[in-house]
Amino acid sequence: MSKLSVSLGIDRTKALNVLSLVLITFLVVLSPKLKAQPTYSHRYSVDDGLPSSFVYRVFQDSEGLIWVCTDQGVVRFDSQRFDRFTTREGLPYNDTWGIMEDSRRRIWFMSYSSAFAYYDLTKRKVHSIPNPFYSNELTWGIIDGREKGTFAILSEGTHLALRSENQTSTPTKASQINKADLIRQVPILGKYADDFVVQSLYENIDFFARTSPALLPDKWKEQSRYVRTVLLYPNQTVFGKEQSITLYNGRTSRTKPMSELAKSQDEKLVRLSRIGESGLILVVTQKGHFVIDQNLNRLHIYDFIEHLAINSLLIDREGNLWIATKDQGLLMITQKALAVMNIVELQEKSVSVITTDASGRMWFGTVNGEIYWQDKQGVHRLALNPIYPAKVNRITSLGPHHVLICWDNIYHAIVPISRVNNRPIDLQELDHTKAKRDTFLATLHPDKAYLFRWKSLKDFCPMNENGLYIATTYRVYQLTLVNNHYQVLPLLSTRRTFSLAINRKKILWTGLATGLQAYRVQRAMDQLSESVINLPTKFALRGPVYDLSTDRHDALWVSTDGDGLIRLSDGNETPISQTLGLTIKDIHYSSVTDRVYAATNQGVLLVQTTHHQPFRYSFTKLSLKNGLPSQEVHSVYEQLDTLYVGTNKGVSKISLSDENLPTRSSAPVLPVRISLLVINGRSMPIRNRYELSHSQNNIGLEFIAPTFIKNQTLTYEYYFYSKQQPDSTWHSLNQKRVKEFTDLDPDTYTLSIRAVDQNRTVSFRPVSITFLIQPAIWQSFWFRMLLFVCILGLLAGLAWVYIKWKLKRQQGMMRTVLTAQEEERQRLAADLHDDLGATLSAVRYELEHRHDNTQRLLHLLDHVIDDIRTISHNLMPPEFDRLGLRAALEEAVQRISQRAAMPIELIIFGTEHPLASDVELTLYRIALELLNNVAKHAHAQQATLQLLYYPDQLMMIMEDDGIGYTLEGNELKMGIGLRNIKSRAKFLNASLQIDSRTGSTTTTLSMPL
């Protein structure tokens, strides 16, 4: 470490003293500012994963990752986590102060020269190369020789060439090779390496002069002893001496003394250091630090680092600034915070007014009465005599040639714009208070400035290009300046006026202690004066109105005491809820962007009108996190897409382009990096192509696109392309950084992943990986053909079995139908034989033997007729199609009940549903079969037939108290009647249930409707 301190131009004792002083300064001055920017800035410490708070160097590799070198090891940061590299991971030493990446994507670490270490970005592994010529020295620079290998330049004049060709590395002393070959690589240092210490080149200056004449002045050898640092670029060289910095491009040179660049005359240069690839240069002096560009111009935007104890800076590809400190770890300030420019000339000034004049020149007024104006050369103070040390309330244009300035609501000055320069301006005082009847007339000299005294002047607003409306506590006046004639005329009387505004419709609004009052201004006939008409207002505000502003929609914006910002339009009040409870000190409306700005005690509130009728708006707040020096804002003004914010600690210029408001970022999206790849649960090394077996078909990935912008929201998209499914559509993963693919079929897959920011900016290099999954033997073409033939044969066999079963079933159904028909014929024959045949035989006998028994014959004939009617009714009830099921059942129950001399009750319940004729006929046949069974075989005393209609089913229940059905074992003996009932129930797709026991038999038929 002693050599490191010497190389920085500071011995150990002095370094400790300076470090203590800088630490106190940092904690007192800078720390609050950094802590006040939590959204855009961050401090990374040991608690976040840094090995140490002493950071040497910050570096960004080609993948966008941040590398941090400390005295206790190296860490890599991907915006989510720190990966640590120490001697455990292969580094020769933990104390590492330098880092660079060569053309072969290897990260080299600079430490003690006993060994050289690098991290291979492709293989993701640390490699260490021992140095056989170890001399206990420090590696200060690595030069990428591309085709000739990688060279290491050591401090104290020793050079070592490290050739690394064909994946082999062999250290060689520079004395054993031509030193010119080593020196010729020096110009590459400016493009690929970081810093260079001139002391290591003193003995080889002559080689510089011969090999790189375009980069070295003619008198380099004579002047080299005074040079503290040299930075070599492809087309120019920067030399740093104690008292000056010189830029040389091979033809001309430019020199700037340190007294011009630094804030004090006696600051001396210690060293120069590149700030990454930004082209900016860090200047380290004995008293602090500052930043210059390659044209040797000091950049004041970085002046906040002046008293910070730092080792180096980096500006990454997103524009963020990384600060490697000696005691505070790693600080990061984003591009948005850096985009806020604080006007140096107004630092620590409490600025109360910001505006422009007719020529577009910016004006600033402070609470101490000072006036500043700005042109292309910078900000200048307006030297007025006498100086009135009171708060500047208003500054505005009065015609095209004058500016009106108001102090403390008492004095106002009229200054010709032609007199605005760096010379003193004498003010000639005039007193309005002595005017009679509040009318004041004066003729002004065009080149003189005047100071006027008023009584409690409160506010003014433009009347026309040559005049203003001016409000005092109890009156409103017209002030005009035409052809050097200054005139003040009273317009109206008011009650405790605080503010004034006028819209395009010539409605003059006055903000009073008790609310608002509106007046319509009318031009008088003489065209020199105006009159007003008092208008009734529809708005009832509770407190005093301190500020007013009108927009291009003729809406009125009001700031009140405690109610925040309110928009009044067409009789509607729209409070801006986000401003409740805030103290609003100034309202500014921009007609160009249709925005309203409110200066408050908590920053600037921006209200953007998105729709006028009905009124809708978007809201943005600018405060410390946006880089304001203070959240106590007094004034705000927009000009040319730039917002000027006046606070009690100076003025900030904020660009209103999309890069800053509201959330847009112009930074590029860094490439996606695969951090983990898992196949079947096993972590795999990261490659571009994988050949996998059929069982390795479960793939998981974890990836990230590094972004160090705290409010940057990245979403991820992927496409998974295969030959079988050629889909190249990008699918969104939202903010998920993990993707899994399971049970993949054998095929060739190409996976591509990219990152997209909220503005649809795509990462410039999507990551792509190819997976070739080989098919298994049983997934081959011939195996599939064999399987197809087997399945085809199986299907044919099943089809043959099914057809046979179906034919057998149809035969069984035909047999059942024929059997039922035959049984029906047998029953009909039995009825004819037993009933009708016996009766006819009796009739024949009577006719043969008894000729005188006429009554007996008539009775037999009646019986024959009844039997014929019964048989015919059993076959088809008369008028069944016309009367329906209900009438047929009633007739059948009545007939069988009379014939069997047994009471049979018919119950029909529910709403009858219309049924098909064949369904009704089948139900009738079943009911008739049940009734005949009970009448003939049950020996019952009574029976009941129920027909129950439900919404989803129809139930037929036959109950009797007879002897029940005959059993064969535990099953019913199926006679002709029961078989007929069962076959007909199957036709109706109905269920049949028989509960038979002695004294109670129930037959239930349930048919779905």
Side-chain angles (χ1 to χ4, degrees), residues 447-717:
D447 295 328
K448 290 184 178 181
Y450 295 87
L451 180 67
F452 300 89
R453 179 180 176 86
W454 282 74
K455 293 180 180 178
S456 61
L457 190 149
K458 293 297 184 181
D459 197 7
F460 44 78
C461 65
M463 180 176 66
N464 50 43
E465 61 179 6
N466 295 314
L468 299 171
Y469 293 111
I470 295 183
T472 63
T473 303
Y474 297 104
R475 278 189 178 273
V476 176
Y477 296 87
Q478 300 177 77
L479 186 154
T480 58
L481 182 61
V482 181
N483 297 327
N484 298 321
H485 294 290
Y486 177 82
Q487 177 178 272
V488 176
L489 298 175
L491 184 64
L492 59 94
S493 299
T494 60
R495 304 183 307 275
R496 295 196 62 190
T497 303
F498 288 100
S499 54
L500 199 64
I502 191 169
N503 63 15
R504 298 180 304 173
K505 297 180 180 179
K506 302 296 286 185
I507 303 298
L508 183 65
W509 294 89
T510 58
L512 309 177
T514 57
L516 284 172
Q517 186 63 50
Y519 303 90
R520 183 180 299 278
V521 180
Q522 291 183 334
R523 175 74 66 176
M525 294 298 295
D526 56 6
Q527 300 295 315
L528 296 177
S529 62
E530 295 179 342
S531 62
V532 295
I533 300 175
N534 194 349
L535 299 178
T537 57
K538 305 177 183 178
F539 311 106
L541 302 178
R542 293 177 294 179
V545 177
Y546 290 120
D547 201 2
L548 295 173
S549 182
T550 59
D551 60 20
R552 67 188 184 195
H553 310 291
D554 293 323
L556 183 67
W557 294 82
V558 180
S559 68
T560 62
D561 188 9
D563 291 336
L565 187 63
I566 301 175
R567 182 182 186 269
L568 308 177
S569 177
D570 299 329
N572 299 318
E573 297 184 17
T574 306
I576 308 302
S577 59
Q578 296 89 340
T579 64
L580 291 178
L582 299 181
T583 301
I584 299 178
K585 303 178 181 180
D586 184 29
I587 301 176
H588 171 68
Y589 172 73
S590 172
S591 59
V592 177
T593 58
D594 201 18
R595 291 171 179 161
V596 173
Y597 302 92
T600 74
N601 59 333
Q602 293 188 14
V604 178
L605 307 180
L606 186 156
V607 180
Q608 175 71 67
T609 300
T610 58
H611 196 271
H612 176 55
Q613 289 290 349
F615 174 69
R616 290 194 292 269
Y617 67 94
S618 61
F619 181 84
T620 304
K621 181 179 179 181
L622 305 178
S623 58
L624 294 172
K625 69 180 182 180
N626 301 92
L628 297 183
S630 172
Q631 66 181 9
E632 193 73 29
V633 179
H634 297 306
S635 57
V636 61
Y637 193 87
E638 178 189 327
Q639 185 193 40
L640 300 178
D641 208 24
T642 300
L643 184 66
Y644 291 81
V645 181
T647 72
N648 62 344
K649 291 186 179 180
V651 177
S652 295
K653 293 169 56 179
I654 302 178
S655 173
L656 294 179
S657 60
D658 290 341
E659 287 79 2
N660 292 284
L661 291 177
T663 55
R664 179 177 169 86
S665 173
S666 60
V669 180
L670 298 177
V672 177
R673 177 179 180 271
I674 304 295
S675 55
L676 179 64
L677 190 144
V678 177
I679 299 178
N680 283 11
R682 179 182 176 185
S683 179
M684 304 292 288
I686 307 300
R687 298 196 300 267
N688 295 328
R689 181 179 175 85
Y690 296 85
E691 294 187 4
L692 308 173
S693 65
H694 68 278
S695 60
Q696 295 176 305
N697 59 350
N698 298 300
I699 301 172
L701 302 98
E702 181 179 340
F703 43 85
I704 187 173
T707 179
F708 305 99
I709 302 175
K710 293 305 174 183
N711 66 337
Q712 176 84 304
T713 301
L714 294 182
T715 57
Y716 295 89
E717 298 177 349

Side-chain angles (χ1 to χ4, degrees), residues 244-289:
S244 64
I245 301 176
T246 300
L247 172 68
Y248 181 71
N249 60 10
R251 297 183 303 273
T252 60
S253 63
R254 187 193 331 170
T255 300
K256 277 196 176 183
M258 289 295 296
S259 60
E260 180 180 342
L261 293 171
K263 290 186 176 181
S264 60
Q265 299 292 326
D266 57 346
E267 283 199 56
K268 295 182 179 180
L269 176 69
V270 175
R271 66 183 175 95
L272 301 176
S273 176
R274 289 181 181 84
I275 304 179
E277 300 178 358
S278 64
L280 304 182
I281 300 172
L282 173 65
V283 180
V284 181
T285 69
Q286 294 178 344
K287 295 184 178 181
H289 315 78

Side-chain angles (χ1 to χ4, degrees), residues 29 52 88 230 472 477 733:
V29 178
S52 170
R88 293 183 178 180
V230 58
T472 63
Y477 296 87
L733 291 170

Side-chain angles (χ1 to χ4, degrees), residues 771-1000:
F771 301 95
L772 175 59
I773 301 179
Q774 302 288 351
I777 296 177
W778 54 86
Q779 293 176 316
S780 63
F781 173 77
W782 294 109
F783 181 84
R784 291 180 178 178
M785 287 297 297
L786 179 61
L787 183 62
F788 174 75
V789 172
C790 293
I791 294 175
L792 190 62
L794 178 62
L795 291 176
L798 292 175
W800 181 77
V801 171
Y802 174 75
I803 292 172
K804 285 193 65 178
W805 171 82
K806 191 171 183 180
L807 291 174
K808 186 176 180 180
R809 181 170 176 270
Q810 291 177 350
Q811 291 175 357
M813 294 177 64
M814 291 294 296
R815 188 179 299 109
T816 302
V817 172
L818 294 175
T819 302
Q821 291 178 351
E822 185 64 28
E823 290 176 349
E824 185 69 17
R825 291 189 183 99
Q826 291 177 1
R827 186 178 65 81
L828 181 59
D831 289 341
L832 294 174
H833 179 271
D834 296 339
D835 294 335
L836 185 59
T839 305
L840 292 176
S841 297
V843 171
R844 181 176 182 278
Y845 177 80
E846 290 292 334
L847 290 174
E848 289 179 353
H849 299 89
R850 299 179 182 182
H851 300 284
D852 57 347
N853 195 357
T854 304
Q855 294 296 327
R856 173 66 177 169
L857 290 175
L858 292 175
H859 176 74
L860 290 176
L861 289 175
D862 290 338
H863 188 72
V864 169
I865 293 171
D866 291 338
D867 288 341
I868 292 173
R869 182 183 296 110
T870 300
I871 294 171
S872 64
H873 282 190
N874 289 338
L875 293 176
M876 175 60 69
E879 299 182 349
F880 182 85
D881 291 336
R882 184 173 62 85
L883 298 178
L885 178 62
R886 182 187 186 97
L889 289 178
E890 290 176 350
E891 190 274 336
V893 168
Q894 182 181 4
R895 175 168 45 83
I896 296 176
S897 176
Q898 292 177 356
R899 189 182 65 183
M902 176 183 62
I904 301 176
E905 183 181 5
L906 174 64
I907 300 175
I908 299 178
F909 173 78
T911 302
E912 298 182 24
H913 298 281
L915 301 174
S917 58
D918 57 341
V919 174
E920 289 187 344
L921 183 59
T922 305
L923 289 173
Y924 174 77
R925 298 286 189 197
I926 294 174
L928 196 62
E929 191 69 46
L930 292 173
L931 291 171
N932 286 328
N933 283 343
V934 172
K936 291 182 180 180
H937 309 296
H939 304 290
Q941 300 299 320
Q942 61 181 356
T944 303
L945 176 64
Q946 301 182 51
L947 190 64
L948 308 178
Y949 288 92
Y950 294 102
D952 57 347
Q953 68 176 347
L954 172 66
M955 297 184 66
M956 180 183 290
I957 302 174
M958 185 69 197
E959 297 177 319
D960 66 78
D961 57 356
I963 61 175
Y965 288 99
T966 304
L967 298 178
E968 292 182 352
N970 294 328
E971 295 183 358
L972 290 174
K973 182 179 180 181
M974 300 295 292
I976 296 175
L978 283 180
R979 282 198 295 271
N980 288 337
I981 293 173
K982 187 174 181 180
S983 63
R984 289 188 172 101
K986 190 173 182 180
F987 169 75
L988 296 176
N989 195 23
S991 61
L992 181 66
Q993 183 178 359
I994 300 175
D995 183 12
S996 178
R997 65 190 69 179
T998 302
S1000 176

